[in-house]
Amino acid sequence: MRAVVVERFGGPEAVEVVETEVPEPGARQVRIKVAAATLNPVDAGVRAGVFGGAGERIGLGWDVAGTIDAVGSASAWTVGDEVVALHYGAVKPLGTHAEYVVVDADAVAPAPAGVDAVHAATLPLNALTAAQALDLLGLEAGQSLLVTGAAGAVGGYAARIAAHRGVAVTGLAREDDEELVRSLGAELVVGEAAPRGFDAVLDAAVLGERALGWVRDGGGYAGVIPGAQPGSVRGVRTAAVEVSADGARLAELVRWVEEGVLTLRVAETFSLEDAVKAHARLAEGGVRGRLVFVL
């Protein structure tokens, strides 16, 4: 099968498409025939060597939508099931940017009904990251939240999920993203114009210490880069999410897609053979929605 890998670190040109053996599922695992897989900023980090793995062949890709075509023992899934999944791990021999991928059975959820695989593939990593970051904050209905990078993938899901729960959400984004941010149920603030005194901030734009200034004394801060949260000041609790594969939670997010609570955004599609072009487009920035490989 074909798979996208890096064997040396660097820019988009470091990405390769190779022929490799089709993986076999073990106990409590399933194999998915990939229909679509999302390209995320974390893949660029892996490609650049941020997570280590020098000298290894590293497979790229965390998100997948497709069809189960083989199951290991003790799996409740059936061949032919249409699914989405998160394939967790920065340094792994094969990722989801491949024709087939093996994942743990408990990382899988049914694909959202009425949604094509290209859009479905954009859900797992970013929506799970947003939901699990919100868990760290523990906000209740009526409390206030500032989401930095609210027009991005993680920030957009976080704003929408929080608003759906009755949290008063303000999104920090560019002025030309106002329509998008308001569609998520958030008020827009631009640049440094955010007021102070929010109960919490979810820092999807990775502003770090600057973002703490917008949180009230004793409030909460959640970052999206594990271990990179700023130190506590004024009694503000600080933490950072490390996303985990969770099929049950992913199934809940799938239901919200089916109910119209969450909107899936695709910016552009690519074939595996155009992996270098896709990484170059990601590096340009300014993407609204996700870049998706279609197989």
Side-chain angles (χ1 to χ4, degrees):
M1 71 169 188
R2 297 169 299 154
V4 178
V5 303
V6 289
E7 296 183 329
R8 58 186 177 87
F9 298 137
E13 72 285 347
V15 175
E16 301 178 56
V17 181
V18 300
E19 291 285 337
T20 189
E21 292 185 1
V22 175
E24 295 294 332
R28 294 181 291 280
Q29 292 184 318
V30 299
R31 186 173 68 206
I32 300 171
K33 187 178 190 305
V34 179
T38 305
L39 175 62
N40 289 286
V42 67
D43 296 306
V46 174
R47 185 200 71 218
V50 171
F51 302 98
E56 301 178 37
R57 173 183 281 187
I58 303 172
L60 300 179
W62 295 53
D63 289 304
V64 61
T67 305
I68 291 177
D69 88 313
V71 297
S73 60
S75 170
W77 295 97
T78 302
V79 170
D81 288 342
E82 294 184 1
V83 296
V84 291
L86 174 66
H87 186 23
Y88 176 84
V91 181
K92 54 200 176 194
L94 287 173
T96 62
H97 299 169
E99 292 182 288
Y100 295 88
V101 65
V102 168
V103 300
D104 292 339
D106 60 6
V108 179
V115 175
D116 61 69
V118 175
H119 284 80
T122 66
L123 182 70
L125 175 60
N126 295 294
L128 280 171
T129 299
Q132 292 170 6
L134 288 169
D135 290 346
L136 295 177
L137 296 173
L139 293 173
E140 299 179 355
Q143 290 190 288
S144 60
L145 171 69
L146 176 68
V147 178
T148 72
V154 173
Y157 281 130
R160 187 70 195 101
I161 292 169
H164 182 64
R165 292 173 173 169
V167 174
V169 183
T170 299
L172 186 69
R174 299 184 309 196
E175 188 172 359
D176 55 4
D177 286 319
E178 179 174 8
E179 182 178 351
L180 170 60
V181 171
R182 291 191 182 282
S183 75
L184 300 170
E187 295 298 317
L188 175 75
V189 292
V190 178
E192 299 295 324
R196 298 176 182 273
F198 288 95
D199 290 313
V201 61
L202 195 155
D203 189 19
V206 196
L207 300 182
E209 291 183 2
R210 275 199 298 157
L212 285 180
W214 294 311
V215 183
R216 66 168 172 81
D217 293 356
Y221 169 101
V224 295
I225 299 180
Q229 68 270 24
S232 175
V233 295
R234 298 180 290 104
V236 176
R237 296 171 291 104
T238 64
V241 65
E242 180 166 0
V243 68
S244 60
D246 183 339
R249 191 67 176 280
L250 184 55
E252 177 186 18
L253 296 166
V254 165
R255 288 192 294 273
W256 284 357
V257 171
E258 294 173 337
E259 294 167 5
V261 175
L262 299 180
T263 300
L264 307 174
R265 295 184 284 154
V266 174
E268 195 172 346
T269 60
F270 296 85
S271 66
L272 282 187
E273 285 74 18
D274 286 332
V276 172
K277 291 181 181 178
H279 277 255
R281 175 66 189 94
L282 181 64
E284 290 173 2
V287 177
R288 290 295 174 258
R290 277 291 174 246
L291 308 178
V292 182
F293 291 113
V294 182
L295 286 82

